């Protein structure tokens, strides 16, 4: 279980700058849209973070359950291949060779003003770190382990 905690935490830490780049364009306008005091701004940060956490835990539960449900070795091998490919995409995106498009996300996110919903949507954003994490937890074949992974993934990304 310790290795699982470190996997989630270190993955979150390693992609936190990327996640920050995705969340800030969505999050900052909410903070700036009205004159806020420190207390209400902090409440918005907590709501947004809770939405992200719920998104991660929901998909951790769902994908962990699918990993248990689907017992096919072929499917698990295909998921291993997908994990390798998403890892490559993650490296290419982090090096700036490939730009991961977020224009569609900006259009959708600009219409929603509820911090917890925006947090949930950014938490389930189909980006390379999230896809790599989904493929990883699928092969764990455990709902509990998948949820723990995403909990620590959330903590790692939240430090940024």
């Amino acid at each position: 279980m310790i290795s699982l905690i470190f996997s989630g935490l270190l993955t979150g830490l390693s992609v936190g700058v990327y996640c920050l780049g995705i969340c800030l364009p969505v999050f900052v306008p909410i903070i700036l849209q009205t004159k806020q005091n420190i207390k209400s701004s902090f409440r918005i940060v907590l709501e947004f973070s809770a939405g992200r956490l719920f998104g991660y835990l929901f998909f951790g539960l769902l994908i962990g359950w699918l990993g248990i449900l689907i017992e096919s070795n072929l499917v698990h091998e295909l998921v291993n291949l997908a994990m390798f490919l998403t890892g490559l995409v993650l490296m290419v995106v982090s090096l700036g060779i490939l730009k991961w498009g977020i224009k569609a996300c900006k259009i959708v996110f600009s219409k929603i003003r509820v911090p917890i919903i925006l947090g949930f949507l950014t938490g389930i954003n189909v980006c390379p770190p999230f896809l790599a994490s989904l493929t990883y937890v699928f092969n764990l074949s455990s709902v509990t382990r998948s949820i723990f992974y995403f909990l620590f993934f959330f903590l790692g990304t939240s430090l940024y």
Side-chain angles (χ1 to χ4, degrees):
M1 193 61 90
I2 295 293
S3 65
L4 182 69
I5 290 169
F6 281 120
S7 294
L9 187 62
L10 292 176
T11 302
L13 286 171
S14 69
V15 299
V17 171
Y18 178 85
C19 294
L20 185 65
I22 294 296
C23 286
L24 275 181
V26 173
F27 180 67
V28 169
I30 291 176
I31 294 287
L32 298 177
Q33 75 185 5
T34 59
K35 192 171 184 177
Q36 306 274 343
N37 60 28
I38 297 292
K39 186 178 179 181
S40 61
S41 294
F42 186 69
R43 183 185 53 79
I44 290 172
V45 169
L46 287 178
E47 285 180 26
F48 184 82
S49 295
R52 284 183 44 247
L53 178 61
F54 292 144
Y56 290 153
L57 296 181
F58 172 75
F59 273 89
L61 184 140
L62 180 65
I63 300 301
W65 177 72
L66 287 174
I68 293 170
L69 188 66
I70 301 171
E71 296 181 7
S72 168
N73 285 336
L74 176 62
V75 172
H76 283 275
E77 290 303 318
L78 288 174
V79 169
N80 282 334
L81 176 62
M83 188 163 38
F84 173 75
L85 293 174
T86 54
L88 286 177
V89 169
L90 186 58
M91 288 189 306
V92 169
V93 168
S94 67
L95 293 172
I97 298 168
L98 175 67
K99 303 290 183 197
W100 194 261
I102 60 170
K103 288 182 182 180
C105 293
K106 285 183 182 179
I107 292 168
V108 170
F109 290 148
S110 68
K111 304 294 183 206
I112 301 170
R113 299 283 180 227
V114 180
I116 197 162
I117 294 172
L118 282 171
F120 181 82
L121 292 174
T122 56
I124 61 168
N125 185 13
V126 182
C127 62
F130 186 69
L131 291 174
S133 293
L134 289 178
T135 57
Y136 177 75
V137 300
F138 179 84
N139 278 338
L140 293 175
S141 297
S142 166
V143 171
T144 305
R145 292 171 58 88
S146 298
I147 289 173
F148 264 97
Y149 174 88
F150 271 110
L151 173 64
F152 284 92
F153 179 82
F154 166 78
L155 293 174
T157 60
S158 293
L159 290 177
Y160 291 90

